[in-house]
Amino acid sequence: MATVSAELKGKYVLVVNAGSSSFKTQILSCENETPILAVLAERIGANNGKLIFKVNPDTDKEEKHAFDVHYPTHGEGIRDMMKRIVDMGILPNFDSIVATGHRVLLGGPKYAECKVDATVKQVIRDYIPLGPLHNPANLACIEVIEEILPGVPAVAVFDTGFHTTMPDYAYTYGISKELSEKYHLRRYGFHGISHKYVSKTAAKYLGKETFTGICCHLGNGCSISAIKDGKCVDTTMGLTPLEGLLMGTRCGDIDASLPLFLMEQEGYTPTQMSDLLNKQSGLKALAGSNDMRDVENLIEKGDKDAILANNIFNYRIIKYIGAYLAVLGQIDGILFTGGIGENASVTREPICKAFEPFGLELDTELNQIRSGEPREINKKGSKIKALVVPTNEELEIMQTTLKILGY
Ligand code: ADP
């Protein structure tokens, strides 16, 4: 934890992470970098919305409050949340909030993290066509909080930001140059905030300045990044989060002709096709559930579909790690994070075993241990290390926000 300056004593950062129909926020103390409040608002736009407040989350003093709400828009949700924070006495007012940090989905090829101004807002607007569900929600949250907290600086931390260092041959698609330029078509990569946090944490754990290796973020969405000297050189997600690994509800890599074929045969519109590939595919389509815990239970019962789904899931991860091993040459280690990466020892085991011939010696007992701390799961002396590193995107956003603002 960084030592804080006197001006940050007793101060907080508000972190906002808005999804297409939800938002997560945290108020984190600048002194100890832990949240005093974590909020989740779900089903924005629907009649059966839920707002969940966790005061002192993940501590023995945690208090959970759930409210039925109806938020027509993200803005209305944020306004109501802020009012409740004061009404419930979580903060007496907002004088102690020194900054807000916003996760923004897409910032294009140049923007990674920056103080929000008119130019940055325009960048967020410019990328709405490629992030039609997230970028408008992110902008709405920024603008409403600006009204509620006038004069409090805001920082945008782009989920694509960590990947802006990729070389052109890793991000360029083999299609018409004119069309790529006209529509900004290229690999952007996502989960950047997580890949950055986890690789920085791994470097610290390993006693290195920077990390060189492969980071696997395996949650509902899954992606892998190849990282050289702390900088991303390739990643599996592309123009959108659909490309790459098999995921909870996304198909990942697929022959581009397949959706065209289905659109012709079934008469699907682009929206229907996108829904099928993003929300009705992956583990959900193959095993009947997008939740890896269900897939594991089905495998135990000998369910053939679940076994195949899991084999595809693991195989694609192994394939990409192998590719990135070749890209990087020499690596410090392979990192696992996200709900599956942090918890599913049965997923980590076959993946690590596949790299035994390259010098990764898995310690199967260490692999079973559960912990919220970064940890090694390889045997002592293993040439390639395997680490489980719990992600913390909110903390990364908070630290980046304070850094950008010069604290
Ligand atoms: P998101 O990408 O939505 O943030 P998470 O990172 O929380 O999602 O990951 C969700 C995934 O993690 C789900 O597939 C869930 O089944 C899986 N997961 C969570 N805990 C475990 C566990 N103990 N064993 C296996 N999988 C788990």
Side-chain angles (χ1 to χ4, degrees):
M1 196 192 308
T3 38
V4 296
S5 57
E7 56 188 331
L8 289 181
K9 288 247 159 73
K11 302 292 185 193
Y12 298 96
V13 173
L14 172 65
V15 168
V16 183
N17 178 355
S20 53
S21 60
S22 66
F23 63 74
K24 287 193 245 176
T25 60
Q26 283 193 4
I27 296 179
L28 294 111
S29 153
C30 297
E31 284 187 54
N32 60 18
E33 298 190 326
T34 54
I36 58 160
L37 175 70
V39 177
L40 171 66
E42 289 183 304
R43 296 194 282 270
I44 292 170
N47 282 326
N48 58 344
K50 271 261 178 261
L51 179 72
I52 296 164
F53 271 42
K54 281 187 188 169
V55 184
N56 301 314
D58 304 323
T59 68
D60 48 12
K61 286 193 239 139
E62 180 177 300
E63 275 174 46
K64 188 173 164 184
H65 306 270
F67 310 98
D68 292 320
V69 291
H70 167 51
Y71 297 145
T73 63
H74 284 74
E76 277 148 294
I78 292 281
R79 271 184 218 286
D80 181 57
M81 174 195 76
M82 296 296 273
K83 182 170 178 309
R84 284 177 200 260
I85 289 171
V86 175
D87 289 350
M88 290 166 69
I90 296 164
L91 288 177
N93 52 51
F94 299 124
D95 293 353
S96 54
I97 295 183
V98 284
T100 60
H102 296 262
R103 173 178 177 265
V104 181
L105 184 79
L106 238 167
K110 293 200 190 91
Y111 287 82
E113 45 206 38
C114 39
K115 192 170 170 194
V116 174
D117 59 13
T119 310
V120 172
K121 283 191 200 173
Q122 191 52 46
V123 169
I124 300 172
R125 256 181 235 115
D126 289 345
Y127 281 89
I128 287 176
L130 291 176
L133 302 177
H134 290 77
N135 273 29
N138 301 144
L139 191 59
C141 291
I142 289 172
E143 292 189 326
V144 168
I145 290 175
E146 271 176 354
E147 276 176 37
I148 302 171
L149 304 176
V152 174
V155 169
V157 185
F158 292 98
D159 208 31
T160 47
F162 184 58
H163 307 300
T164 53
T165 49
M166 282 187 287
D168 54 3
Y169 51 82
Y171 68 67
T172 305
Y173 287 122
I175 60 162
S176 145
K177 208 172 155 204
E178 286 70 31
L179 286 174
S180 286
E181 278 170 9
K182 183 171 176 191
Y183 294 109
H184 312 289
L185 306 177
R186 51 164 274 169
R187 176 182 309 285
Y188 289 106
F190 299 86
H191 288 148
I193 299 167
S194 177
H195 286 293
K196 184 174 174 196
Y197 175 80
V198 168
S199 55
K200 264 180 17 187
T201 306
K204 214 178 285 172
Y205 178 93
L206 296 169
K208 301 200 156 213
E209 282 272 295
T210 57
F211 175 76
T212 292
I214 296 161
C215 180
C216 307
H217 179 111
L218 310 176
N220 257 320
C222 300
S223 68
I224 304 186
S225 287
I227 299 164
K228 190 168 170 44
D229 301 327
K231 293 200 160 71
C232 177
V233 293
D234 202 354
T235 193
T236 56
M237 283 179 167
L239 176 73
T240 74
L242 186 56
E243 197 176 341
L245 303 176
L246 191 80
M247 312 185 207
T249 61
R250 297 190 191 113
C251 59
D253 290 341
I254 205 164
D255 186 328
S257 306
L258 191 149
L260 304 179
F261 175 84
L262 279 182
M263 286 167 90
E264 259 175 27
Q265 297 299 316
E266 296 285 322
Y268 292 148
T269 62
T271 306
Q272 286 171 321
M273 198 63 241
S274 167
D275 189 72
L276 187 85
L277 299 176
N278 279 290
K279 298 187 182 156
Q280 311 296 339
S281 297
L283 295 176
K284 186 176 177 185
L286 296 171
S289 170
N290 64 316
D291 192 309
M292 188 51 101
R293 284 163 294 198
D294 294 340
V295 177
E296 285 178 13
N297 289 336
L298 287 166
I299 291 172
E300 263 175 41
K301 291 182 193 138
D303 185 288
K304 288 205 172 69
D305 290 339
I307 293 169
L308 176 61
N310 190 54
N311 285 344
I312 298 170
F313 185 85
N314 291 348
Y315 177 71
R316 225 178 267 181
I317 294 168
I318 292 166
K319 213 162 76 164
Y320 271 113
I321 294 177
Y324 289 165
L325 200 53
V327 165
L328 293 166
Q330 213 178 342
I331 62 169
D332 300 329
I334 298 172
L335 313 178
F336 293 94
T337 195
I340 299 172
E342 289 169 33
N343 296 299
S345 53
V346 290
T347 299
R348 293 191 301 254
E349 182 164 329
I351 295 168
C352 290
K353 288 247 161 98
F355 293 93
E356 253 173 17
F358 301 89
L360 196 170
E361 293 176 76
L362 179 74
D363 184 320
T364 46
E365 277 172 29
L366 286 182
N367 186 36
Q368 295 300 327
I369 295 172
R370 286 179 166 273
S371 153
E373 297 298 316
R375 58 199 184 273
E376 275 175 57
I377 55 169
N378 51 268
K379 286 187 185 153
K380 257 203 169 135
S382 175
K383 194 172 124 211
I384 296 177
K385 291 184 187 296
L387 272 74
V388 180
V389 182
T391 193
N392 191 338
E393 289 167 286
E394 285 75 19
L395 179 57
E396 178 61 35
I397 294 170
M398 177 204 178
Q399 290 175 340
T400 303
T401 298
L402 291 178
K403 187 190 79 187
I404 291 288
L405 296 176
Y407 281 107

